[in-house]
Amino acid sequence: MRRIQTFIALVLSVTLFLIFVYSTLHREMTNSYGALPEDLLKHSSVQARVSDVTTQSSKKESLTTLYLNDNSVSVSDSFRKSIPQNGAYWNRLLYSALGKLDKGENPFIHDAAWSRCRETNQELLKTNMHDFSSYPFLFQDFLQGMHCRSPPALLRQPNKCIPDKGKGDNQTFLLFAIKSTPENFVKRQAVRETWGREGTHQSGLRVRTVFLLGTPPLDNPDLSQLLSFESRHFGDVLQWDFHESLLNLTLKMTMFLHWTLTYCPNAAFVFSGDDDIFVNTPALLGYLRSLDPSKASQFYAGQMINSASPLRDPKSKYYIPLSFYDGPYPAYAGGGGYLISGALLKPLYSVSRVMPFFPIDDVYAGMCFQALGVSLEANEAFRTFDVKEQDRENLCIHKSLIVIHQRSPLEMKKLWKGIHSPLLTC
C-alpha cells in the first residue's frame, strides 16, 4: 500500500511540475514577442501573430526609406572591373542596378511584401537561366526567394545595447554576431560560458553577444517555446521568419545589419562568426585596441581567401552554376570569423541594397566591401581552416591565436579554461 501511495504522490508531483514548466514557457513565449493587441493574442498561430505585428510596425522600424534617400551610395571602379559584364544571371542583375545608379535613378532593390516576394513563375527563371531545371533543389529555392529581403522578426532584443543604469558610459565596444540554428542550444551555451560571455573587459571595454537564427524546416520538432524561453532568459537570441539554409546566410547577414543599425548603432566593432569557432577574446580585444584610429573606422579583417573561384561541381555545397554567375571571387575573409568597423555598417547595408544576393555569404560580404573600396586586412591569427592536427591540443598555440575553427562545446570549454590557467607557461 505504501508503495502505491508513494507512486501516486510521485506521479502527481511530476504532473504538477510539467504543468508549471509548460505554463512558464507559454508565458515567456507570449512576453518575448512584446505587447500584442488583444485580438491578435486570440489567434492560435504564433507565426501569423508575429508576422501581423511585424508588418504593422515595419514602417516605423524600416531603414529602407533612409537609404532610398541616401545619394552617397557609390560602387568602386575596382569592383566594376572585377565583375565581367556578360550573360550570367547575377552579372546581368548587377549591371542593371549599376546602370540605374549611374543614371541617377533609384538603384535600390525593392522590398516586396514577404508573403508575396517569392518568384513562382518557373518560365521566367528558365528563360533567364537556361539550365535552371538542372540546379540542385536548394539552389532553385534560393533563386525563388532571391529578392526576398524583409522577413518578419520573431525575436528582436530591442533593448540589447541600452546602457546599464548607474554604470556610466558603457557603449558597446565589441558586438559578437554569431550565426546559429534553432537546435544548437549546447553550442550557444558553450559560447556564453566562454569567449562570448557578456560584460566589461579590459579597461572598461563593453562586450555584447547576439545569436542569429532563422526557422527550422517544418518537419523538425517545434522549438519556438524553448527558443522564446532562451531569448527571455539570456536576452541574446535574434530570430527571423525565414528557413535556415546555407544559402540563406546572406539574408541572415543583411537582417543582422538592419537590426544593428536600428538597435545597436553605436557599436565600435562587430565580429561575425559561427557557433562552432573558438575565439581568444582577450587577444581579440588587444588587437582592436592596438589599431590606429584612422584604420579603426574602415576596418575589415580576418583570414584572407584571395585565390578562390566558383565551384562548378553540382555535388559541392558551394556549387555556383555558370549560367548564374560568371566571374572571379574577390579577396574575402573566411566566414568562420571576421571583424567589421561599426562605422562601416551603414555603408555596408546601403551597398547591399544595390547588390543582388549571392548564395555564399562570406563571398557576398567580400563583394560588398570591394564595392565600397574597403580592402581586407589579412591576419594570420584568424584560422578559419583550423590549425595543424598536431597542434590541436597545444594550449600555447591557441593562446597566441584569435580565431580557430572548428571546436565542439566540450573542446571550447577545455580550451578556454586552459589558456586562462595560471599554471600555463608559454
Side-chain angles (χ1 to χ4, degrees):
M1 181 62 70
R2 289 182 179 178
R3 290 183 179 178
I4 295 175
Q5 291 175 341
T6 301
F7 177 78
I8 292 173
L10 179 62
V11 171
L12 287 173
S13 298
V14 171
T15 302
L16 289 171
F17 174 76
L18 290 175
I19 292 173
F20 171 77
V21 170
Y22 176 80
S23 62
T24 301
L25 287 174
H26 182 72
R27 183 169 59 253
E28 294 290 348
M29 180 190 70
T30 302
N31 291 340
S32 70
Y33 290 106
L36 300 176
E38 286 296 325
D39 57 333
L40 290 177
L41 288 172
K42 295 177 183 178
H43 288 273
S44 60
S45 171
V46 173
Q47 188 175 37
R49 176 172 67 229
V50 177
S51 298
D52 289 342
V53 174
T54 304
T55 301
Q56 292 174 11
S57 63
S58 61
K59 293 181 180 179
K60 297 180 181 179
E61 297 182 357
S62 176
L63 297 171
T64 303
T65 302
L66 172 63
Y67 299 112
L68 287 176
N69 296 326
D70 184 352
N71 296 320
S72 64
V73 178
S74 61
V75 175
S76 70
D77 289 338
S78 63
F79 177 71
R80 293 169 184 259
K81 292 176 182 178
S82 71
I83 305 296
Q85 189 170 359
N86 54 37
Y89 183 53
W90 193 92
N91 303 58
R92 283 182 278 137
L93 290 176
L94 173 67
Y95 277 95
S96 174
L98 294 180
K100 292 179 181 178
L101 185 66
D102 293 341
K103 293 176 183 177
E105 300 174 2
N106 177 11
F108 290 92
I109 296 171
H110 176 65
D111 270 334
W114 183 252
S115 60
R116 300 189 301 274
C117 65
R118 288 184 63 82
E119 180 56 68
T120 58
N121 187 344
Q122 294 284 314
E123 192 61 31
L124 182 149
L125 295 170
K126 292 176 182 177
T127 299
N128 282 282
M129 291 156 284
H130 65 276
D131 54 348
F132 173 80
S133 299
S134 69
Y135 288 4
F137 171 78
L138 282 180
F139 209 99
Q140 291 188 21
D141 184 66
F142 164 79
L143 285 165
Q144 289 176 308
M146 186 176 172
H147 302 299
C148 298
R149 289 174 172 254
S150 299
L154 301 178
L155 299 168
R156 53 177 95 230
Q157 310 300 341
N159 301 321
K160 184 66 181 178
C161 293
I162 294 177
D164 297 331
K165 293 182 180 179
K167 294 189 177 181
D169 182 15
N170 61 350
Q171 175 182 322
T172 302
F173 179 76
L174 175 62
L175 177 63
F176 282 121
I178 309 305
K179 294 170 286 186
S180 188
T181 58
E183 68 274 13
N184 282 2
F185 172 80
V186 174
K187 292 183 179 181
R188 291 192 291 276
Q189 191 59 20
V191 172
R192 292 184 184 110
E193 294 178 4
T194 56
W195 57 266
R197 182 179 299 164
E198 294 191 325
T200 303
H201 292 250
Q202 307 164 5
S203 303
L205 302 181
R206 181 71 181 183
V207 174
R208 301 182 194 271
T209 300
V210 289
F211 296 95
L212 317 179
L213 281 66
T215 57
L218 295 177
D219 293 339
N220 283 24
D222 182 7
L223 301 176
S224 59
Q225 294 189 45
L226 292 175
L227 285 172
S228 183
F229 182 80
E230 180 185 352
S231 173
R232 290 284 292 178
H233 184 74
F234 294 104
D236 58 10
V237 177
L238 305 179
Q239 187 183 30
W240 294 272
D241 192 13
F242 64 83
H243 292 151
E244 282 286 358
S245 165
L246 175 71
L247 304 188
N248 273 341
L249 289 178
T250 301
L251 174 60
K252 183 178 285 189
M253 180 190 85
T254 55
M255 293 314 300
F256 166 72
L257 292 174
H258 184 284
W259 178 89
T260 308
L261 290 168
T262 305
Y263 297 118
C264 201
N266 296 318
F269 296 97
V270 169
F271 177 92
S272 173
D274 295 336
D275 62 6
D276 60 354
I277 62 172
F278 179 80
V279 179
N280 184 343
T281 308
L284 175 58
L285 292 172
Y287 173 48
L288 293 175
R289 290 182 66 195
S290 70
L291 294 176
D292 184 88
S294 61
K295 178 185 290 187
S297 62
Q298 297 286 308
F299 194 60
Y300 168 46
Q303 181 172 9
M304 180 181 286
I305 301 172
N306 59 3
S307 59
S309 58
L311 297 180
R312 305 304 187 185
D313 181 1
K315 296 179 181 179
S316 170
K317 65 179 182 179
Y318 299 114
Y319 169 59
I320 299 295
L322 185 61
S323 59
F324 172 75
Y325 175 74
D326 184 6
Y329 284 163
Y332 65 94
Y338 59 89
L339 285 164
I340 307 172
S341 294
L344 285 176
L345 295 178
K346 180 180 176 182
L348 184 61
Y349 183 75
S350 294
V351 81
S352 77
R353 304 290 308 174
V354 177
M355 302 268 286
F357 274 170
F358 196 81
I360 304 176
D361 64 313
D362 48 7
V363 172
Y364 183 74
M367 289 176 169
C368 290
F369 279 111
Q370 186 182 25
L372 292 173
V374 176
S375 299
L376 169 65
E377 175 163 314
N379 190 317
E380 293 300 318
F382 287 65
R383 301 291 181 88
T384 55
F385 295 102
D386 209 348
V387 295
K388 296 178 181 179
E389 182 65 30
Q390 62 266 30
D391 293 332
R392 283 182 63 91
E393 300 296 325
N394 188 327
L395 291 175
C396 288
I397 292 290
H398 289 79
K399 193 174 180 68
S400 66
L401 298 176
I402 294 177
V403 177
I404 305 101
H405 188 244
Q406 65 194 149
R407 292 294 182 270
S408 71
L410 289 177
E411 290 172 328
M412 202 180 294
K413 296 202 69 175
K414 181 180 178 181
L415 278 173
W416 184 256
K417 181 179 179 181
I419 67 171
H420 289 89
S421 172
L423 304 177
L424 179 64
T425 300
C426 294

